[in-house]
Amino acid sequence: GTAGLNMGGGTLSNLTISNPTVTNYVETLYAPSAGTAFTISLANGTIQEISLNGNGTITLPSSVAGKSYTIIVTYSGAYTLTWAGGSTLKWAGGTTPTPTSANGKYDVFNFYCDGTNTYGSVFGLNF
C-alpha cells in the first residue's frame, strides 16, 4: 500500500526503511564559498561542490560502513588538488587521479566507505 506522511516541514532521522521505491527525489547540493581548504562533513549532504580558488586540499570524513558521497570540484585556475584521508583513502591501482585543474572545468569524484577504508573513484574529469 501507500502511506502518506505530513510532518509540516519536520525531519525524520535514524529510521530503517526496507525495500522502498523512491520516485523523483532531489538531494541537496552543498556548495560552500570558494577557497583552498575544505573538510567534508556529510551532515551537509552527500553531494558537495567544492570551488578551488588556489591550490587546495580536501579532507574527507572517516569511513562509515555503507556511506557514499559525491564531490564535484570546480576550478577557477590551474591549481593543484590534494586529497587528505590518510592511508584509509584508496584509489584504483593505488594511484591518485590527476585532476583537470583548468579554469572553468569540473571534475566529479565518488567515494564509497566500508567502515575501514574509503574508496575513491573518478566519475568523470574535464567537464
Side-chain angles (χ1 to χ4, degrees), residues 41-99:
S41 170
L42 297 181
N44 294 323
T46 57
I47 300 178
Q48 300 194 21
E49 185 173 321
I50 303 301
S51 297
L52 293 181
N53 62 5
N55 294 334
T57 299
I58 298 174
T59 302
L60 301 177
S62 297
S63 182
V64 175
K67 286 283 188 178
S68 62
Y69 52 97
T70 299
I71 298 177
I72 302 165
V73 181
T74 65
Y75 306 91
S76 61
Y79 307 125
T80 61
L81 171 60
T82 302
W83 296 99
S87 62
T88 62
L89 175 58
K90 310 291 185 192
W91 296 97
T95 303
T96 303
T98 302

Side-chain angles (χ1 to χ4, degrees), residues 1 8-9 14 22 37 44 48 54 67 71 84 86 90 95 101 109 113-114 116 121 125-126:
N14 297 319
V22 180
N44 294 323
Q48 300 194 21
K67 286 283 188 178
I71 298 177
K90 310 291 185 192
T95 303
S101 296
F109 302 92
C113 304
D114 67 6
T116 301
S121 67
L125 301 174
N126 200 26

